[in-house]
């Protein structure tokens, strides 16, 4: 007889919402259970970047109705990270960069990234927001903005760009996206 999934359970969730974790595993209540489905779900949890540990919990006995709950004992990774660095270029001089990332801003895998880079001739500020499972389980929304200030011997450029893109996962290897952007630039010549 077939063994079917009663429900998916998660042990150890602290900041990540259970609804988001359920979407990650792609297991549906009532579906036939196979070890490959559980292994694939564990891989999906690990690939999300939110968990440092994802051990499956499989009961030893099946209920008389053929149903079994499947669980994952998980440990969440820290959702925030910071990076900083210093660089030197003979053309651009001494520069520094700083970045901050939050991989679970509202509890459903929303990602916010900021980046600052600067040296004597250019300064760049980046900000992006990514929302997984946007309107559909195979889509994500990406909002981004960038400000850039660049100075050369001939001109000074100030530009700002704002963009919005919706990406859809068509197959495991193919993704399509549709979006738009607005760019405003001001160039001042020194001649």
């Amino acid at each position: 007889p077939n063994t079917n999934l009663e429900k998916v359970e998660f042990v150890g969730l602290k900041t990540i919402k259970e609804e988001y974790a359920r979407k990650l595993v792609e297991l549906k209540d009532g579906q036939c259970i196979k070890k490959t489905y559980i292994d694939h779900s564990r891989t999906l949890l690990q690939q999300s970047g939110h968990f440092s540990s994802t051990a499956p919990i499989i009961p030893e006995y099946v209920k008389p109705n053929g149903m079994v709950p499947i669980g994952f004992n998980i440990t969440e990774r820290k959702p925030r990270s910071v990076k900083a660095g210093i660089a030197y270029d003979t053309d651009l001089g001494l520069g520094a960069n700083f970045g901050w990332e939050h991989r679970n801003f509202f509890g459903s895998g929303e990602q916010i990234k900021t980046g600052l880079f600067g040296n004597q001739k250019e300064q760049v500020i980046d900000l992006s927001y990514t929302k997984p499972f946007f309107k559909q389980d195979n889509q994500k929304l990406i909002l981004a903005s960038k400000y850039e200030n660049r100075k050369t011997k001939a001109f000074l450029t100030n530009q700002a760009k704002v963009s919005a893109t919706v990406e859809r996962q068509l197959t495991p290897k193919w993704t399509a996206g549709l979006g738009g952007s607005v760019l405003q630039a001001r160039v001042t010549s020194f001649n």
Side-chain angles (χ1 to χ4, degrees):
N2 287 338
T3 302
N4 296 328
L5 176 63
E6 181 179 41
K7 63 180 175 177
V8 181
E9 299 172 339
F10 296 93
V11 177
L13 288 179
K14 294 179 181 170
T15 63
I16 293 175
K17 294 178 182 173
E18 189 169 325
E19 177 187 334
Y20 173 68
R22 284 185 195 282
K23 287 183 178 184
L24 287 174
V25 296
E26 296 181 358
L27 292 172
K28 306 290 182 225
D29 293 352
Q31 85 179 84
C32 183
I33 290 296
K34 294 183 181 176
K35 184 179 182 320
T36 55
Y37 296 166
I38 297 168
D39 292 343
H40 179 64
S41 293
R42 185 177 185 194
T43 299
L44 293 172
L45 286 169
Q46 291 169 335
Q47 288 176 344
S48 73
H50 298 297
F51 309 106
S52 58
S53 154
T54 57
I57 304 167
I58 304 169
E60 290 185 28
Y61 301 101
V62 177
K63 293 183 177 181
N65 63 0
M67 303 296 272
V68 64
I70 299 295
F72 291 92
N73 189 2
I74 58 179
T75 304
E76 293 182 11
R77 283 180 59 204
K78 293 187 187 218
R80 291 173 291 281
S81 60
V82 176
K83 64 180 180 178
I86 298 174
Y88 178 78
D89 186 291
T90 54
D91 292 337
L92 303 175
L94 184 65
N97 62 51
F98 174 81
W100 177 83
E101 178 182 15
H102 196 300
R103 291 175 293 277
N104 189 37
F105 200 72
F106 295 116
S108 294
E110 301 89 353
Q111 184 179 64
I112 292 181
K113 285 184 177 181
T114 60
L116 304 170
F117 171 77
N119 59 38
Q120 296 172 344
K121 297 184 179 180
E122 63 182 333
Q123 298 82 41
V124 179
I125 300 172
D126 277 313
L127 176 63
S128 69
Y129 170 79
T130 303
K131 171 143 182 65
F133 304 119
F134 178 70
K135 304 287 185 185
Q136 294 184 37
D137 288 353
N138 63 344
Q139 290 185 161
K140 65 180 170 182
L141 171 68
I142 303 165
L143 303 174
S145 63
K146 182 175 187 177
Y147 175 78
E148 192 171 336
N149 184 42
R150 184 171 291 157
K151 183 178 182 181
T152 67
K153 292 180 182 179
F155 58 87
L156 173 65
T157 304
N158 302 97
Q159 67 181 28
K161 180 179 179 181
V162 177
S163 64
T165 306
V166 175
E167 285 186 1
R168 180 179 289 185
Q169 191 76 38
L170 302 175
T171 69
K173 294 184 179 182
W174 289 91
T175 301
L178 179 64
S181 63
V182 176
L183 173 69
Q184 180 178 355
R186 185 177 70 213
V187 179
T188 306
S189 175
F190 297 135
N191 295 335

